[in-house]
């Protein structure tokens, strides 16, 4: 009976876990890492970005996002949407083509790969014959034209990837019609461009790298006209009138050609060199678009004078008398232009540019061509991210004040709405307002709206104005000097350079109830800021805190502290600093905590920790935690780099000396070499800090480096001195497994400015295994974590239970240990490390609830160095669930992880992207969207210009009807079998049958 009863209890527990915990990776925020291709569908209004890692991402209206990943680990080089359809094709650098589609499932669209295909030549043929360099998705939606490195053009039917061999365009077919004196002994080289006549889908322009362009009739399978260019071709543009062609070339020029259908044109109508007669870089892409009233827009990338501006990444826009060279801070991948109107055939409205580190959209209809702020794809890494902090359930008043302050910073953006609006966002409105704060290397803190699928920028705080730096605040990088040629204009916000690495933000803490913020930096600086709706000119009072407390025998070898401005500084509306604590030595701040009800902030470095009263603006106490044998803590990050370089230099010198001595003494050379290598290897291993893969918990030596480094700080109103009176207290955990507790006496509100805050030591705990303490939590009489400061006062949490016994949970890297308070006696513990080498890297308290029950339960959420996510019960500290979350090799991703209050989390999957995950069944933020095929546009699509015999005797009309029926896939298979051609030039690697039907929302 006991066995059955236990089984029932276990089943009940399992069901309870399933109601509360469910792991999902939900959405990726930020800008794709290493983008390599750009595509756009005017009919769907969807943007596609391919990356070097083989990812493909689609974006429409804010909230509409899709992501796919190719099985092949190859870069995406081109993306082409089939006109007026929900399919698109990707070309990878391994020469494979992949067909993707958007299918509806349970009312929402999903991105699926439905087939892939690779061109293969006859046995013995060089790979260049079938190496695809240019792709044209024909307006009929039924054909792909593939230009290759060998100069051939293959015609392929889609979505089935069936090669129409009789319609292929060989090099011989083109060369035979070109004057012999032009061809000479040189070949035409690769196909550089394929363009369809905008007024006649039967005509295609083929551009060869040699400079030759051929107008080809697909229906009659013959050339119509040749354009004999002499410069290496980069791109072509067929103007909307169908009678004029623009070509851009490698010498920085572009040419204007007229389509007559007659004899070959040996010279262009007009040739322009936009930036002078000196050698220029290639114009890699050119577009000319007409306007209903006025001159056309001419837009091209490149073409800069090679000697003077060859390192610039520019797109030039010329319209009437206005000429600007948009100057980007990273390499241009591709660009396109969005036009007005339902069919996107009106005046140009926006220029969309994908560069290596950001997406920039320029408003072409507003004077000055301002940039349109992006609602997604924002480069999180404008300056490198150094830390992050999440705050849940922001009060509306604070939210609106931050929004207003952010709006004042964005007046330079265009007022036009976001121009890419494909799909429908079906996701519910966010249940709460969440903020993600990111600290950056340049001393800025960025506030992001993290409530929904889009991570939207709200406000940017800069701390550099408090200090003297090399940057001149009057510099305006966005405007070139008047009369400058080329007329450069800086665009985009990606700026990886920092005026001073000491400005880097390391820790952030925001109180959402009264608008106090504290940020800590790389050079021991801690700023306390307050939200102000008006601009203010004020001095920032600096308090220097000596964490060494006058200990002798130590000399700081690291960086100097930042110089504080001694004159008043004008701060714009938003968060304004009013107090500054400067740690001495100026080491990296490793931990901070803010208690806005007591008006206290605590901070820690590798040397100790202190307590600061920011209301009276004075320091209260300092505790030095430095181990006398810990010389590493005196060197600082820059000195550590120097010491590594020094040790490497010494190692190489020893190797050199060893080789010289070995040449002199020929006896026993092999034995000596082996001995020297072994010794050098042992020395190198001693100098490296290696994370163990497998080991059991064991006591560490107190001589380990950085044992005094403060890892965590925690304020709590609990029982420290006796069990009858609770008192404010401060708890600090160090890298050497020590926990220090201080009792704080905070004066009453009436006497707060007159009486001093007092703090004195009360407890000290030393963990036997000396593992770093990474978290501290005090549990109330009911086993629940203590609420945040001011949370009870705002009726957002119940008052903590003060009648029962409180407990202190100490989380070290290797175990969880529960102590009773105030006696600090061990009650229970949970060992994490056994033989798998797991260590706690990130820990936080989160609240979980089921979708049906309003009741919430608290749990401890933990991430290990193995990348595993664990939920641990409170107060029983037992493992509940665990899931693999991050690859163990992704050390930076694990280090960047931050948890939310309600069971979600963020971590960096690249320098520019956050992955969002959820361990909660109730709180999940993920895209829910629907994209439907544009039926009204599809009915206007031209039919294929290529006539194919119907082996089964069906008429064209009947075949088109069948194409839109459920049996199209079966019909295509019958056609293939009846034709019986093994297709020697084609390797068809379809994964699945092509999608049938054209209405996305009607099913798979």
């Amino acid at each position: 009976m006991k066995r059955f009863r236990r089984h029932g209890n276990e089943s009940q527990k399992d069901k309870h876990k399933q109601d509360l915990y469910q792991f999902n990776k939900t959405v990726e925020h930020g800008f794709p890492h290493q983008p390599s291709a750009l595509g756009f569908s005017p009919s769907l209004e969807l943007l596609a970005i391919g990356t070097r890692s083989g990812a493909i991402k689609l974006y429409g209206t804010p909230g509409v996002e899709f992501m796919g990943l190719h099985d092949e680990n190859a870069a995406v080089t081109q993306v082409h949407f089939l006109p007026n359809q929900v399919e698109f094709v990707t070309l990878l650098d391994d020469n494979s083509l992949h067909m993707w589609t958007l299918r509806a499932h349970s009312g929402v669209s999903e991105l699926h790969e439905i087939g892939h295909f690779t061109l293969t030549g006859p046995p013995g043929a060089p790979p260049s014959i079938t190496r695809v360099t240019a792709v044209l998705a024909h307006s009929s939606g039924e054909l792909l034209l593939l230009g290759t490195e060998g100069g051939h053009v293959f015609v392929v039917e889609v979505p089935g990837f069936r090669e129409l061999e009789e319609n292929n365009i060989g090099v011989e077919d083109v060369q035979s019609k070109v004057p012999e004196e032009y061809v000479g002994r040189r070949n035409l080289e690769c196909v550089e461009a394929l363009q369809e006549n905008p007024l006649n889908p039967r005509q295609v322009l083929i551009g060869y790298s040699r400079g030759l362009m051929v107008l080809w009739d697909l229906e009659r399978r013959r050339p119509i006209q040749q354009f004999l260019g002499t410069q290496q071709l980069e791109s072509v543009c067929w103007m909307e009138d169908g009678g004029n062609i623009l070509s851009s070339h490698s010498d920085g020029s572009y040419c204007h050609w007229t389509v007559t259908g007659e004899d070959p044109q040996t010279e262009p109508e007009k040739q322009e060199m936009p930036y002078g007669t000196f050698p220029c870089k290639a114009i890699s892409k050119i577009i000319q678009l007409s306007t209903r009233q006025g001159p056309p827009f001419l837009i091209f990338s490149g073409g800069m004078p090679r000697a003077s501006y060859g390192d610039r990444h520019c797109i030039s826009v010329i319209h009437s008398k206005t000429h600007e060279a948009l100057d980007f801070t990273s390499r241009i991948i591709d660009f396109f232009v969005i036009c007005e109107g339902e069919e996107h055939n009106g005046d140009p409205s926006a220029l969309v540019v994908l560069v290596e580190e950001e997406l920039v959209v320029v408003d072409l209809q507003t004077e000055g061509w301002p940039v349109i702020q992006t609602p997604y794809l924002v480069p999180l890494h404008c300056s490198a991210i150094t830390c992050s902090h999440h705050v849940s359930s922001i009060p509306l008043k604070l939210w609106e004040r931050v929004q207003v302050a952010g709006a004042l910073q964005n007046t330079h953006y265009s007022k036009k709405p976001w121009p890419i609006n494909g799909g429908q966002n079906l996701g519910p409105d966010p249940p709460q307002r969440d903020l993600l704060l990111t600290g950056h290397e340049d001393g800025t803190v960025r506030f992001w709206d993290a409530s929904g699928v889009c991570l939207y920028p709200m406000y940017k705080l800069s701390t550099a104005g408090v200090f003297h730096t090399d940057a001149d605040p009057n510099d305006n990088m966005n405007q070139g000097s008047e009369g400058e040629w080329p007329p450069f204009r800086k665009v985009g916000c990606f700026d990886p350079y920092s005026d001073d690495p000491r400005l880097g933000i390391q820790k952030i803490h925001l109180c959402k109830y009264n608008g106090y913020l504290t940020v800590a930096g790389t050079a021991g600086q801690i700023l306390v800021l307050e939200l102000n709706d008006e601009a203010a000119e004020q001095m920032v009072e600096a308090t220097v805190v000596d964490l060494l407390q006058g200990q002798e025998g130590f000399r700081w070898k690291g960086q100097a502290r930042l110089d504080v401005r001694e004159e008043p500084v004008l701060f714009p509306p938003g968060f304004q600093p009013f107090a500054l604590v400067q740690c001495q030595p100026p080491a990296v701040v490793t931990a901070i905590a803010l208690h806005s009800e007591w008006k206290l902030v605590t901070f820690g470095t590798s040397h100790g920790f202190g307590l600061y009263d920011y209301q009276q603006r004075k320091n209260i106490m300092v505790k030095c935690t430095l181990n006398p044998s810990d010389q590493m803590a005196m060197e600082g990050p820059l000195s550590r780099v120097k010491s590594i370089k020094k040790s490497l230099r010494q190692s190489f010198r020893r190797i050199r000396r060893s080789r010289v001595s070995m040449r002199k003494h020929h006896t026993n050379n092999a034995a000596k070499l082996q001995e020297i290598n072994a010794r050098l290897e042992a020395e190198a291993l001693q100098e490296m800090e290696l994370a163990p893969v497998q080991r059991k918990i064991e006591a560490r030596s107190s001589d380990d480096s950085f044992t005094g480094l403060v890892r965590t700080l925690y304020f709590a109103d609990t029982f420290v001195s006796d069990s009858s009176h609770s008192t404010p207290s401060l708890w600090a955990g160090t890298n050497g497994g020590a926990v220090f507790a201080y009792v704080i006496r905070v004066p009453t509100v009436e006497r707060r400015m007159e009486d001093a805050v007092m703090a004195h030591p009360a407890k000290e705990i030393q963990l036997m295994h000396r593992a770093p303490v990474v978290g501290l939590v005090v549990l109330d009489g009911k086993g629940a974590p203590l609420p945040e400061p001011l949370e009870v006062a705002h009726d957002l949490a119940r008052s903590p239970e003060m009648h029962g016994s409180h407990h202190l949970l100490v989380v070290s890297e290797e175990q969880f240990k529960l102590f009773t308070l105030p006696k600090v006696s061990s009650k229970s513990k949970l060992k994490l490390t056994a033989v798998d080498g797991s260590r706690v890297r990130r820990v936080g308290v989160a609240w979980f609830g089921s979708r049906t029950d309003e009741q919430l339960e608290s749990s401890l959420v933990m991430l290990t160095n193995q990348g595993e996510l664990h939920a641990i019960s409170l107060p029983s500290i037992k493992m509940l669930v665990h899931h693999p979350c991050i690859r163990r090799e992704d050390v930076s991703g694990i280090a960047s992880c931050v948890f939310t209050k309600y069971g979600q989390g963020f971590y960096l999957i690249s320098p520019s992207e956050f992955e969002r995950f959820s361990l909660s069944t109730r709180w999940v933020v993920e895209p829910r969207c629907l994209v439907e095929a544009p039926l009204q546009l599809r009915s206007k699509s031209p039919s294929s210009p290529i006539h194919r015999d119907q082996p089964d005797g069906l008429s064209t009309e009947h075949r088109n009807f069948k194409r839109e029926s459920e049996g199209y896939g079966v019909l295509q298979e019958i056609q293939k079998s009846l034709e019986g051609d093994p297709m020697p030039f084609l390797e068809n690697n379809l994964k699945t049958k092509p999608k049938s039907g054209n209405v996305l929302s009607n099913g798979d």
Side-chain angles (χ1 to χ4, degrees), residues 634-649:
M634 301 308 298
E635 294 182 352
L638 301 180
S639 176
R640 177 65 178 151
V641 173
K642 291 177 183 177
S643 67
I644 292 172
K645 290 181 178 178
K646 184 179 178 182
S647 63
L648 287 174
R649 196 180 300 118

Side-chain angles (χ1 to χ4, degrees), residues 267-338:
E267 291 185 0
E269 295 285 329
K270 184 172 64 173
Q271 183 170 0
E272 295 281 346
M273 185 80 75
Y275 293 112
T277 56
F278 292 104
C280 293
K281 298 198 75 175
I283 295 179
S284 56
K285 184 175 181 177
I286 190 166
I287 295 176
Q288 181 165 310
L289 296 167
S290 61
T291 57
R292 288 173 182 162
Q293 297 177 348
F297 275 88
L298 180 67
I299 304 171
F300 58 87
S301 59
M304 288 290 129
R306 189 178 295 274
S308 305
Y309 305 106
D311 58 341
R312 299 285 186 105
H313 311 289
C314 294
I315 289 183
S316 300
V317 183
I318 303 172
H319 177 63
S320 186
K321 295 181 180 179
T322 307
H323 182 161
E324 281 191 354
L326 305 177
D327 190 8
F328 299 88
T329 54
S330 56
R331 185 174 61 90
I332 296 167
I333 305 297
D334 201 355
F335 68 90
F336 63 86
V337 176
I338 299 176

Side-chain angles (χ1 to χ4, degrees), residues 391-396 398-399 432-435 510 512:
V391 187
S392 299
S393 304
I394 302 294
L396 180 60
L398 177 67
W399 186 268
Q432 59 195 28
R433 294 171 293 273
D434 290 351
L435 273 179
L510 170 69
K512 62 186 178 184

Side-chain angles (χ1 to χ4, degrees), residues 66-101:
F66 302 93
M67 185 207 167
L69 188 64
H70 293 86
D71 293 334
E72 296 78 7
N73 187 20
V76 181
T77 56
Q78 296 185 44
V79 181
H80 299 273
F81 281 90
L82 302 187
N84 304 324
Q85 298 184 35
V86 291
E87 286 84 20
F88 64 93
V89 173
T90 56
L91 173 67
L92 305 189
D93 66 357
D94 65 358
N95 204 42
S96 62
L97 286 156
H98 299 254
M99 178 72 73
W100 297 81
T101 189

Side-chain angles (χ1 to χ4, degrees), residues 681-694:
E681 186 178 352
E683 290 174 0
L685 285 172
Q686 288 175 2
E687 291 171 359
M688 293 173 63
E689 296 180 15
L690 296 176
V693 177
Q694 290 188 350

Side-chain angles (χ1 to χ4, degrees), residues 508-771:
I508 306 170
H509 197 118
L510 170 69
C511 176
K512 62 186 178 184
Y513 301 110
N514 59 8
Y516 282 103
L517 171 71
T518 179
V519 296
T522 304
Q525 71 273 24
I526 299 100
L527 280 167
V528 186
L529 307 97
E530 186 177 14
L531 186 57
N532 193 343
D533 300 329
E534 302 292 334
E537 188 173 15
Q538 61 193 32
M539 284 187 63
V540 180
E541 296 183 22
T543 302
V544 178
V545 176
D546 181 13
L547 291 175
L548 295 179
Q549 296 181 302
Q551 290 195 29
E552 297 181 359
F554 292 98
R555 186 171 61 88
W556 173 247
K557 303 175 185 177
Q559 60 204 356
R561 73 185 194 190
L562 286 160
D563 295 326
V564 183
R565 294 184 183 272
E566 297 178 356
E567 69 277 5
V569 180
L570 179 62
F571 296 104
F575 285 92
Q576 298 171 351
F578 63 88
L580 168 65
V581 179
Q582 177 62 61
C583 296
Q584 196 65 24
V588 174
V589 178
T590 56
I592 60 170
L594 171 72
H595 201 295
S596 51
E597 187 175 0
W598 302 337
K599 302 292 190 293
L600 300 175
V601 62
T602 179
F603 50 90
T605 71
S606 55
H607 306 119
F609 61 93
L611 183 63
Y612 179 76
D613 178 356
Y614 62 81
Q615 185 163 0
Q616 296 187 15
R617 303 185 187 181
K618 65 179 183 181
N619 199 57
I620 298 166
M621 55 78 61
V622 172
K623 168 66 175 176
C624 179
T625 58
L626 190 66
N627 190 317
S629 63
D630 190 1
Q631 289 297 321
M632 295 291 292
M634 301 308 298
E635 294 182 352
L638 301 180
S639 176
R640 177 65 178 151
V641 173
K642 291 177 183 177
S643 67
I644 292 172
K645 290 181 178 178
K646 184 179 178 182
S647 63
L648 287 174
R649 196 180 300 118
Q650 290 173 347
S651 298
F652 280 118
R653 285 173 180 169
R654 284 196 295 268
I655 293 171
R656 200 176 295 117
R657 284 197 300 266
S658 301
R659 287 175 177 169
V660 171
S661 62
M662 284 167 62
R663 289 193 194 100
K664 294 178 180 178
H665 304 282
H666 297 287
T667 60
N668 205 8
N669 280 346
K672 286 187 176 182
L673 180 61
Q674 188 175 2
E675 181 184 348
I676 291 166
N677 286 337
R679 188 172 69 247
L680 290 174
E681 186 178 352
E683 290 174 0
L685 285 172
Q686 288 175 2
E687 291 171 359
M688 293 173 63
E689 296 180 15
L690 296 176
V693 177
Q694 290 188 350
R695 66 182 187 83
K696 297 182 179 181
I697 294 180
E698 57 186 12
R700 304 187 187 194
S701 168
S702 60
D703 297 334
D704 286 354
S705 296
F706 292 108
T707 55
L709 185 145
V710 178
R711 293 288 292 269
T712 183
L713 292 163
Y714 181 68
F715 284 112
D717 187 355
T718 186
F719 304 97
V720 181
S721 301
D722 57 69
S723 57
S724 56
H725 299 91
S726 66
T727 57
S729 60
L730 168 64
W731 300 78
T734 72
N735 221 34
V739 178
F740 301 94
Y742 278 71
V743 172
I744 306 171
R745 191 188 68 82
V746 182
T748 59
V749 176
E750 294 78 13
R751 302 286 303 172
R752 183 65 178 84
M753 285 301 295
E754 291 78 18
D755 296 348
V757 176
M758 305 294 290
H760 61 269
K763 306 284 183 185
E764 185 173 339
I765 306 170
Q766 178 62 61
L767 301 179
M768 296 298 293
H769 57 290
R770 298 184 181 274

Side-chain angles (χ1 to χ4, degrees), residues 38-301:
L38 176 68
F40 179 67
S41 170
S43 58
L44 296 177
E45 291 192 71
L46 289 181
L47 167 81
I49 295 177
T51 71
R52 291 189 208 169
S53 61
I56 184 76
K57 300 188 177 186
L58 269 61
Y59 300 89
T61 197
V64 174
E65 297 184 10
F66 302 93
M67 185 207 167
L69 188 64
H70 293 86
D71 293 334
E72 296 78 7
N73 187 20
V76 181
T77 56
Q78 296 185 44
V79 181
H80 299 273
F81 281 90
L82 302 187
N84 304 324
Q85 298 184 35
V86 291
E87 286 84 20
F88 64 93
V89 173
T90 56
L91 173 67
L92 305 189
D93 66 357
D94 65 358
N95 204 42
S96 62
L97 286 156
H98 299 254
M99 178 72 73
W100 297 81
T101 189
L102 290 165
R103 289 178 176 166
H105 180 70
S106 301
V108 296
S109 297
E110 296 176 352
L111 182 61
H112 293 281
E113 182 180 354
I114 56 172
H116 67 240
F117 154 83
T118 304
L119 279 174
T120 57
S128 61
I129 295 293
T130 53
R131 180 76 184 175
V132 179
T133 55
V135 178
L136 171 63
H138 195 267
S139 59
S140 65
E142 300 177 3
L143 299 175
L144 281 181
L145 276 70
L146 309 176
T148 67
E149 202 174 276
H152 300 276
V153 177
F154 293 84
V155 182
V156 175
E157 186 182 43
V158 289
F161 283 131
R162 186 171 72 93
E163 183 187 2
L164 305 176
E165 190 177 344
E166 66 279 5
N167 293 286
N168 290 346
I169 305 167
V171 181
E172 302 79 10
D173 302 329
V174 174
Q175 281 185 333
S176 61
K177 305 294 183 180
V178 179
E180 190 173 338
E181 61 272 13
Y182 176 81
V183 176
R185 295 183 178 181
R186 293 178 56 195
N187 60 21
L188 301 181
E189 301 179 10
C190 70
V191 176
E192 198 68 50
L194 290 168
Q195 287 281 325
E196 180 182 336
N197 188 333
L199 301 182
N200 186 351
R202 295 178 305 180
Q203 296 179 359
V204 171
L205 183 70
I206 309 170
Y208 294 91
S209 182
R210 163 89 177 269
L212 172 68
M213 295 179 291
V214 175
L215 183 58
W216 188 269
D217 191 320
L218 291 174
E219 189 175 29
R220 298 177 182 176
R221 304 173 191 171
R222 65 177 180 84
I224 300 172
Q225 187 179 358
Q226 294 90 19
F227 306 91
L228 309 180
T230 56
Q231 289 293 333
Q232 181 177 324
L233 184 70
E234 293 291 328
S235 74
V236 298
C237 170
W238 206 321
M239 297 187 206
E240 295 162 320
D241 59 8
N244 294 280
I245 293 169
L246 278 182
S247 62
S248 67
H249 301 275
S250 60
D251 63 346
S253 68
Y254 66 89
C255 300
H256 186 178
W257 309 80
T258 303
V259 178
T260 60
E262 299 173 355
D263 295 336
Q265 279 195 33
T266 57
E267 291 185 0
E269 295 285 329
K270 184 172 64 173
Q271 183 170 0
E272 295 281 346
M273 185 80 75
Y275 293 112
T277 56
F278 292 104
C280 293
K281 298 198 75 175
I283 295 179
S284 56
K285 184 175 181 177
I286 190 166
I287 295 176
Q288 181 165 310
L289 296 167
S290 61
T291 57
R292 288 173 182 162
Q293 297 177 348
F297 275 88
L298 180 67
I299 304 171
F300 58 87
S301 59

